[in-house]
Amino acid sequence: MKGSIQEINSLLNQGDQTTREMILGRQDIHQAMVALEQANLSLRLMLQVRNKMISAYEEIMRMQF
């Protein structure tokens, strides 16, 4: 999980950097949009995985032994 968070952080930073370069005229808008969307999808996927893990944990805690 820690590795995934670091990878998503890297993708978010890359999206920010690509956006800055687009503003300066060094990158195409399409490349910037792809980088931002990739970061967005990765973040949303991680949040869904986190939500499923929390849900599974809560379900286990409700079980009676």
Side-chain angles (χ1 to χ4, degrees):
M1 188 71 154
K2 184 178 178 181
S4 296
I5 292 171
Q6 290 173 342
E7 183 178 340
I8 291 169
N9 188 42
S10 174
L11 287 171
L12 290 169
N13 289 336
Q14 182 180 0
D16 288 345
Q17 182 63 32
T18 305
T19 303
R20 282 188 213 102
E21 290 180 9
M22 181 203 61
I23 291 169
L24 295 174
R26 297 183 207 152
Q27 286 281 351
D28 185 22
I29 188 169
H30 300 291
Q31 292 170 328
M33 292 302 295
V34 168
L36 289 172
E37 189 61 27
Q38 184 179 13
N40 181 32
L41 286 173
S42 297
L43 181 61
R44 288 178 23 207
L45 175 63
M46 186 200 64
L47 289 174
Q48 288 297 320
V49 169
R50 182 205 64 175
N51 291 342
K52 291 289 183 182
M53 290 174 66
I54 290 171
S55 177
Y57 173 78
E58 289 172 345
E59 184 67 28
I60 289 171
M61 295 309 291
R62 279 188 288 235
M63 289 181 176
Q64 294 181 359
F65 293 99

